[in-house]
Amino acid sequence: MNTSSSDRMIFFTDIDETLLNTDKSLSPENMDALDRFLAMDNIICVSTGRALDGAANALRKLGLYGRKNLLISSYNGGHVFDTYEEKTLLLRTIPLDLIYRAFDLANEFGIHIQSYSKHDVISQTDNHHLRKYLSIQKLGVQFIDDVRTADLQPAPKLLCLDYDDPLHVIEFRKLFEEKMAGQLDCFNSNPNLLEIVPCGVNKGSSLQFLAEYYGIDIRNTISAGDAENDLSMIRAAGIGCAMQNADPMLKAEADYVTEHDNNHAGVAEILERFCFIPSRTTL
């Protein structure tokens, strides 16, 4: 069954602690809801801070990659990709001079920082923080001696991380915001990870881009997330939903907070409530 163009919807969902269970599995209830949503000619955009390859690897494992109307918004909105057509719809990157400055600040402060190529993480150092990240994201790595002499390309994001001490990340964020205000934006995807992106790039900006790209009224957009980097798409969507397990700050801004958490099919709850009834519930 196909919906009319005026009824077509886009559902934007974070991956970790939102769409997936904590063990990284996809519940049968959530998969069934996604299947039904796509069968109505709606669009699903998996919106994540992960690199494009990392997100694509996860979706292949789940059996979602390559389905019609299944998109990825990776790097917190920096790279929007159609998995069915296998084409880029939007790409926004950090220029090299700002990459150099960010690396300088992180190195002086003493926190791990990394950039990205098309398929790999780019790092000056090898440490247990990097290795843990690579094992989770299933990405390769290229080691370089110096960002200024390496053959770097502008990247959609940079990432600073410390899996041992989230306070270290908080302290660096304060410094970064002071030194790079108006040049780069930053926010946490979890307490251990600081995402660094071009100014104005976030999950909310990619939501707005895709609504315009497909000619879908912003009122027909729904988003779901759990962390600070989801805040912009919670605010931008026609219906912004926070998971029961979400950060309290996100819940305070959401139009709807799920009764069930990510481990109990909270995404299916959202789609059932707002999409699968003859006359959609309004808030």
Side-chain angles (χ1 to χ4, degrees), residues 77-81 88-92 205-206 209:
H79 191 175
V80 180
F81 186 80
T88 292
L89 305 183
L90 177 70
L91 179 63
R92 293 178 288 186
S205 65
S206 69
F209 165 78

Side-chain angles (χ1 to χ4, degrees), residues 89-125:
L89 305 183
L90 177 70
L91 179 63
R92 293 178 288 186
T93 58
I94 300 172
L96 289 176
D97 63 317
L98 293 181
I99 290 178
Y100 300 156
R101 292 194 61 192
F103 265 74
D104 288 344
L105 280 175
N107 291 334
E108 290 168 10
F109 186 82
I111 191 169
H112 175 80
I113 185 170
Q114 62 193 40
S115 184
Y116 296 81
S117 67
K118 186 174 182 180
H119 298 295
D120 295 320
V121 169
I122 306 295
S123 178
Q124 288 181 316
T125 56

Side-chain angles (χ1 to χ4, degrees), residues 12-15 44-52 55 59 70-83 90 92 201-207 209-210 229 233:
F12 294 80
T13 178
D14 178 48
I15 298 180
I44 294 172
C45 181
V46 174
S47 187
T48 177
R50 295 189 189 204
L52 178 60
L59 295 191
L70 199 296
L71 313 176
I72 296 172
S73 174
S74 59
Y75 300 107
N76 296 294
H79 191 175
V80 180
F81 186 80
D82 184 329
T83 71
L90 177 70
R92 293 178 288 186
V201 170
N202 52 55
K203 294 186 177 187
S205 65
S206 69
L207 183 153
F209 165 78
L210 284 172
N229 66 326
M233 72 173 180

Side-chain angles (χ1 to χ4, degrees), residues 8 25 40 57 62 106 110 145 148 162 276:
R8 200 177 192 203
S25 64
M40 298 165 65
N57 290 339
L62 298 169
D145 292 326
R148 287 177 171 80
D162 188 325
F276 298 149

Side-chain angles (χ1 to χ4, degrees), residues 8-11 37 41-45 69 71 214 216:
R8 200 177 192 203
M9 305 186 76
I10 310 181
F11 176 53
F37 188 77
D41 196 35
N42 292 318
I43 298 164
I44 294 172
C45 181
N69 294 328
L71 313 176
Y214 287 103
I216 293 175

Side-chain angles (χ1 to χ4, degrees), residues 29-30 34 39 47 72 77 82 121 134 143 156 167 207 217 234 245 261 271:
E29 296 87 353
N30 279 351
L34 297 180
S47 187
I72 296 172
D82 184 329
V121 169
L134 296 175
F143 291 107
L167 290 178
L207 183 153
D217 194 300
I234 297 300
N245 53 286
D261 64 18
L271 294 177

